[in-house]
Amino acid sequence: MSRIPAGLQSRVMSAEQAARLITSGMTLGMSGFTLVGYPKAIPGALAASGHAKNLTLCTGASVGDDMDGVMAQAGIIKRRYSYQSNKSMRTLINDGSIGYIDMHLSHVPTFINRRMGGIHIDMAVIECAVITEEGLIPAASMGASDAFVRMADKVIVELNETIPLDIVGMHDVFEIGTPPHARPIPIVHPLDRIGVNFIPCPPEKIAAIVVTDRQDKSPSFTEPNEVSRVIGRNIVGFLRQEVEAGRLPENLLPLQSGVGAVANAVLQAFADGGFRDLTMYTETFQDSALDLLDRGIVLGATTCAVSFSEAAQKRFYGNLAAYREKLILRSQELSNNPEVIRRLGLISMNTPIEVDIYGNVNSTHIAGSAVMNGIGGSGDFTRNAALNIFATESIGKKGAISCIVPMVSHVDHTEHDTQIVVTEQGVADLRWKIPQERAELLIENCAHPDYRPMLRDYLAQARKTAKSQHTPHDLKQALSWHQRFLETGSMK
Amino acid sequence: MSRIPAGLQSRVMSAEQAARLITSGMTLGMSGFTLVGYPKAIPGALAASGHAKNLTLCTGASVGDDMDGVMAQAGIIKRRYSYQSNKSMRTLINDGSIGYIDMHLSHVPTFINRRMGGIHIDMAVIECAVITEEGLIPAASMGASDAFVRMADKVIVELNETIPLDIVGMHDVFEIGTPPHARPIPIVHPLDRIGVNFIPCPPEKIAAIVVTDRQDKSPSFTEPNEVSRVIGRNIVGFLRQEVEAGRLPENLLPLQSGVGAVANAVLQAFADGGFRDLTMYTETFQDSALDLLDRGIVLGATTCAVSFSEAAQKRFYGNLAAYREKLILRSQELSNNPEVIRRLGLISMNTPIEVDIYGNVNSTHIAGSAVMNGIGGSGDFTRNAALNIFATESIGKKGAISCIVPMVSHVDHTEHDTQIVVTEQGVADLRWKIPQERAELLIENCAHPDYRPMLRDYLAQARKTAKSQHTPHDLKQALSWHQRFLETGSMK
């Protein structure tokens, strides 16, 4: 199978030549999600050349350092949309050099497809495995690539020859349409295929093809430590109780699991938890999920992207034809869509930065001002899941920070949205609990013992000073823990 | 047409007798939404008798004083779920006598249908117009009644003989099902009927029928003042620009409009704005909407309930057969469903208590602690709308309060969710704006001139002190305006 149709061979060019098609002030829609499937040649060429400045860079979610890091450091990015997790990018965002808009991942393609607020993608830059007469077969991540290709004036394809051709058939691309002509998404099971296996793209829209052979860099997740393992066991124990109480089926409901070490550890715990015949409907698919798939504990999954260690990556690409039967790659407009999430009734599991005593969750900001990564899909999943779980260690920075605080310094998920909070200390089930009950559960079950007396003191003081006993706060002290951390380096 | 099937005549009894079927500790699911269609006899009988205490009262949304007020004052309510707007109820919630859980309206029936967290409805009490062999024809509000009837052990019907029989056929009831067996909601236009016109209810489930003749009390909305009218014109002007820029169709997209005087004034402005062939998909339908329907400016609407003045009520009930062609009453599981809201691409319009400089919105709490009404459907609509608008006067309490503040004291809608903020001062279009741009727009376009210098000072101070320029906050001062208001009665 040829990766490029005969009629398009003439558009093959070097990364340097293709980069010249991008000019200052353009808005770029680039592929990539959880460090997988992002362009690896054009970003470097743009950075080296420096001819195009003041770029607006829009991606589905996080991309590798050889894209976000390289372009940020070259000083050619003016604005960055929707999600990032790169150290250089984050530094320049927080020092005010790069403007950053942190969005719900489901909103990104939806808003672009609808030209919401006049947004226009000048150029899409998409890593692909194959180009056909009908369109593009992407890498092992979908992100918002379908929306970028649909709405961009022109498309530059990075054709990555290291991606095995067996990836053809793994994607599922479905055009929802825009109001007043949008249509229902007919997914009623995580493994329902509803569309085509390529991103539609007329050949004349392809402005350049750059052939590459660079593989995705594997993310470096820290190995699960004992604390993460305890968190995982606490979650599994809680779900086991829900099954025993007849509130969840034996094989649970489709799982969504966030990114990172805690998420990885949590899924590992499922293997030991005795669950079987699980499914997943998620935006990222990590090593531990692949293990569950290999062991037959997870029957199949929808994901927006894979995100593997080097060893898992090798296993995955070596057996693509087999995984194709059990794994569907969908765009974030589908993987994160409230319609499907609510219908399937997911169990969502995400990692907060901090949770306050009333259940408000901060997923994005340190001490109110500095952004970390972004909200990602956590809002899409949490609000619409059948059961949502926020899992974190109870303390950070060796105890200098409590993850349970009087008032979060930034709210990404409101008290109306949070159901279950889990730390290594225990589980707080906030469902049908009034604010003061939530506070007691979070303090006694989830906070670290070192911080419990301080939290009890805050609550007592708030009860004494507040004009209302519904959600008592002492506004003078509510953010004092963060202020103390800024001044002394510790919340204590 | 008889309102009660022959086989059920034996279950007709007095309110006092029926109330005896309710015992202490029960969880009650009662009909009612925006003061319409709530039980009017049982609550009084329960309050007078006092035999049943520690009740948990769950409703779709707000109900009349002869229900919420009477039951709250009788001291028989221990917990209140999902939404209220009653003075007595609010007072007892804020003094800690009644526990209150403030929920997204779309969550309520969904969680009840799924028995989320083990919730169980012991008794449903539903106001109806007619009982048939198949089920119940409710009053002119659906709320969460279908879920209550489905999941309750038993049902008490308040059969209100003042409701004209022409209401039969106005409702549209559809069972979504629960995961893993939930199904798509096949609504692609606000006027699509997809279900049956009654709430299915086997006759044996009906424990009592109480015949009543009390009409809904009309809510007392203040007449739109000049400020509300300017807000309305600002919104219409903004939408007109969106149409001219080709970003919205000539007849816009289906409108959702919140409750109250500002919302009423805004819809009035649409009549003068030259828009035609509009549709609505909303949770409440007020006088101004009825005017638009009468004048043919609005072609038709889905609503969860009507909420009319006495004059509009008379017009509505006097012409039910005609309105039935243009108005569909659906449960809040449908009217507020993210699936349908995102698909139809609504223009949502809601009223906040306050908005902060980065676009976080407080819809529920005064100075962080005291709850006002509740979040209602504003989260369902805002998050999923094609275009969301928050409209409020820029000041409150004769200038003692600024509705644009440094940091909101409670977050109901996050910075990720807010698009357009409108006051009588102007419009802030926050779409694709980074936090500091949002702050400048909100201060210069929306804040009252009296508060602009103070807001500029705060922003400058935050930029100076914060460790990050992404979302600069000065945590020492962020909530000081609310603290000052608590201490002095003014934010100034």
Side-chain angles (χ1 to χ4, degrees), chain B residues 252-268:
Chain B
L252 302 178
L253 287 164
L255 305 176
Q256 175 264 329
S257 169
V259 183
V262 171
N264 229 356
V266 167
L267 275 194
Q268 281 184 8

Side-chain angles (χ1 to χ4, degrees), chain A residues 94 114 342 412 416 468, chain B residues 94 106 114 342 412 416 468:
Chain A
N94 281 317
R114 297 177 180 183
R342 198 166 286 207
D412 295 291
H416 314 283
S468 163
Chain B
N94 281 316
S106 75
R114 297 177 181 183
R342 198 166 285 207
D412 295 292
H416 314 283
S468 164

